[in-house]
Amino acid sequence: MADNLCEALKKLKLASADSASDSVEGCLDCLLKALAHNNAEASEKIQEMGVLPLLPTLLAPQSSCTPKVANIIAEVAKNEFMRSPCVEAGLIPPLVQLLNSKDQEVLLQTGRALGNICYDSHEGRRAVDEAGGAQIVAEHIKSLSQNTQPANGKLLTVFCGMLMNYSNDNDSLQAQLISMGVIPTLVKLLGIHSQNTPLTEMCLIAFGNLAELESSKEQFASTNIAEELVKLFRKQVEREKKEMIFEVLAPLAENDVIKLQLVEAGLVECLLDVVAQTVDGEREEDISELKTASDLMVLLLLGDESMQKLFEGGKGSVFQRVLSWVPSHNHQLQLAGALAIANFARNDGNCIHMVDTGIVQKLLELLDRHVEEGNVTVQHAALSALRNLAIPVVNKSKMLSAGVSDVVLKFLKSEMPPVQFKLLGTLRMLIDTQADAADQLGTNPKLVERLVEWCEAKDHAGVMGESNRLLSALIRHSKSKDVVRTVIQGSGVKHLVTMATSEHMIMQNEALVALGLIAALDLGMAEKDFVSANLVQVLHKLLSDERSAPEIKYNSMILICAVMGSEPLHKEVQGLTFLDVVSKLRSHENKTVAHQASLTEQRLTVQS
């Protein structure tokens, strides 16, 4: 075989020089045979003997050899080491010229050749881009899309494959295809050629690539992609095909318009069927399919319109089915069920309905099952759902009576920051405006001790911020001397002083109000902590800073007046230029600030 090949290559070099087409044909046949026998070896020989640079002249549009030459290039370019040499040999411009041919075999082999040269090859793609190849192929696909003859289906599959190899993992080339209008064309193909398995697979892979790009979502949303994908999904029996469709659905479903289209096209029912079929499966693929379907379900609920459509006033069959996942024995379904509830709980009406229909109990039972088993993602999801449900004021007392805070406190020992973060947020939502609950939790030394510890969690800003906010909330909502004492004894005061210097105004304000209550309820006990935390200096800085919001200035002055009853703090106030700063604030544009400045100035003058 090797000798025949060398012989053929030598002949080809001679024949191509005098364009003797019969002997060229024979050589080409020999080359194709050698490539079929051992592609890599034959390709290496072709490269060694310098045959590639001869091929452009053999790619004449009218020549009968052209399809064979293009076929040889397609075969050779299956090898990674041959793609750059194909570009260097100048094969791309004549191949792109051949895309204007009317001969179906020429188009087929040319499409294959260009597609293979572009595969994972930066040089190949750049050369095709410069020669304008993608535009011609996109136009071919558009004009051929209605034709359902088998030969045409094959050509469309090759062309789609070529565009996919051309743009794969390359954002700028994908954006170029999108601007050429490739997406609506491919969506049409999917509908018209749904019986053609290779072509639909190629379209799906192309969608998967393009859907990752944000700019594609708008174009997809203006087509009937949702309907076509759901139709295709329903037909599938093979798991691999379903997976391919899932891979397109996931990035598309990140877009809210498409979420709603998918819900309206009936995707949810398909997903529920997948869950029902795989929930008891123990094979790896069952577990993987269950996860994909339930994750996608949760993703669809992230859109406000799609979520509300599926909620149907709490009567929706989808909503009911998803609720039944929470008590399931399957962790993945428990997780998806809890996340779905968290997503349904995005407006007051839904939250109130869900609390009234006993969902809280289901979540508490789920959390109880995970105190010891400790599946962190399930804990996190269930706490997220409870936190959202606790937002409407009417739900707070109902949830507290149901024992939510007791179950949540069982997770205080968790060392997982995401769980700590949600736990803190849930408790903070629950005690908002609930004085008794704030009093009860605020006098729990174990809770306060843990909060103080987490106030120092510098590696986890979220946990640190939420701990500070809960510490402040316990004082603000209880207004209780016992809570204040528990916080002082637990060394919490210094953290509230630090919180007053936060970059977030809301946190500064919450800290100042809590510190004001501490000063009002037990200044004697807090005095030492106020001094060591440099409270007076912090307040001076907040009042002097022009960027401080009016409410920060107002609460800082209230606090200055409150600490004047302590001798050491009074001395510190006298030692700084508070009178100057406060008298300037008397002309502040905010009337409340200006009024408080007058009162504070009187207090400072009387006591200086």
Side-chain angles (χ1 to χ4, degrees), residues 515-545:
L515 290 165
L517 284 162
I518 293 174
L521 292 165
D522 205 333
L523 181 57
M525 193 173 175
E527 182 180 79
K528 217 165 74 194
D529 289 343
F530 280 164
V531 171
S532 64
N534 297 322
L535 173 65
V536 173
Q537 288 87 326
V538 166
L539 293 173
H540 188 269
K541 199 171 167 197
L542 289 174
L543 286 170
S544 312
D545 189 343

Side-chain angles (χ1 to χ4, degrees), residues 419-465:
V419 174
Q420 296 166 352
F421 180 72
K422 285 296 174 190
L423 168 156
L424 293 163
T426 306
L427 290 176
R428 189 165 62 78
M429 280 302 157
L430 277 172
I431 63 164
D432 194 4
T433 70
Q434 305 297 305
D436 291 348
D439 199 336
Q440 197 185 346
L441 289 170
T443 51
N444 177 337
K446 275 205 173 113
L447 171 62
V448 172
E449 186 187 319
R450 196 70 161 131
L451 291 183
V452 169
E453 188 187 320
W454 287 340
C455 283
E456 292 167 4
K458 292 195 169 45
D459 295 343
H460 302 287
V463 172
M464 194 163 87

Side-chain angles (χ1 to χ4, degrees), residues 314-336:
K315 308 273 188 298
S317 64
V318 172
F319 172 63
Q320 298 301 333
R321 289 270 292 275
V322 170
L323 283 192
S324 72
W325 293 355
V326 177
S328 154
H329 59 277
N330 182 299
H331 282 188
Q332 175 57 35
L333 273 197
Q334 293 169 1
L335 170 64

Side-chain angles (χ1 to χ4, degrees), residues 488-513:
I488 296 170
Q489 283 163 349
S491 309
V493 173
K494 62 181 177 195
H495 295 298
L496 292 171
V497 175
T498 306
M499 182 181 168
T501 64
S502 163
E503 58 198 32
H504 304 290
M505 191 197 81
I506 192 162
M507 286 176 71
Q508 283 185 305
N509 216 27
E510 287 171 0
L512 290 169
V513 173

Side-chain angles (χ1 to χ4, degrees), residues 178 183 187 190 203-230 244-263 267 296 299-300 302-303 306:
I178 291 165
I183 287 172
V187 175
L190 198 61
C203 286
L204 287 173
I205 297 168
F207 290 148
N209 288 345
L210 295 172
E212 296 293 342
L213 222 62
E214 211 36 59
S215 58
S216 73
K217 307 275 167 65
E218 233 167 272
Q219 270 208 26
F220 274 119
S222 66
T223 69
N224 62 337
I225 181 82
E227 208 181 304
E228 293 298 354
L229 288 174
V230 172
M244 282 180 86
I245 300 171
F246 273 143
E247 277 168 25
V248 180
L249 288 168
L252 285 180
E254 285 166 14
N255 176 282
D256 282 0
V257 178
I258 300 174
K259 278 187 184 80
L260 187 60
Q261 291 172 353
L262 288 168
V263 167
L267 177 62
L296 191 48
L299 182 56
L300 292 176
L302 276 173
S306 49

Side-chain angles (χ1 to χ4, degrees), residues 216-356:
S216 73
K217 307 275 167 65
E218 233 167 272
Q219 270 208 26
F220 274 119
S222 66
T223 69
N224 62 337
I225 181 82
E227 208 181 304
E228 293 298 354
L229 288 174
V230 172
K231 228 190 294 178
L232 195 63
F233 191 88
R234 285 200 176 108
K235 279 188 208 160
Q236 300 317 318
V237 196
E238 292 167 47
R239 187 184 304 276
E240 285 72 23
K241 269 308 247 323
K242 283 184 185 170
E243 258 173 46
M244 282 180 86
I245 300 171
F246 273 143
E247 277 168 25
V248 180
L249 288 168
L252 285 180
E254 285 166 14
N255 176 282
D256 282 0
V257 178
I258 300 174
K259 278 187 184 80
L260 187 60
Q261 291 172 353
L262 288 168
V263 167
E264 287 172 342
L267 177 62
V268 171
E269 290 70 20
C270 298
L271 297 177
L272 290 171
D273 288 345
V274 171
V275 168
Q277 288 155 17
T278 53
V279 66
D280 296 317
E282 284 170 17
R283 292 177 309 171
E284 213 169 293
E285 47 266 44
D286 287 329
I287 295 163
S288 154
E289 207 175 335
L290 175 73
K291 180 176 175 1
T292 308
S294 54
D295 283 352
L296 191 48
M297 183 78 196
V298 171
L299 182 56
L300 292 176
L301 293 173
L302 276 173
D304 287 338
E305 284 187 77
S306 49
M307 176 273 286
Q308 213 50 48
K309 191 174 176 66
L310 294 171
F311 188 68
E312 288 182 60
K315 308 273 188 298
S317 64
V318 172
F319 172 63
Q320 298 301 333
R321 289 270 292 275
V322 170
L323 283 192
S324 72
W325 293 355
V326 177
S328 154
H329 59 277
N330 182 299
H331 282 188
Q332 175 57 35
L333 273 197
Q334 293 169 1
L335 170 64
L339 287 172
I341 292 172
N343 286 345
F344 280 124
R346 283 212 312 281
N347 63 52
D348 283 7
N350 291 6
C351 288
I352 292 164
H353 177 86
M354 287 196 277
V355 168
D356 288 345

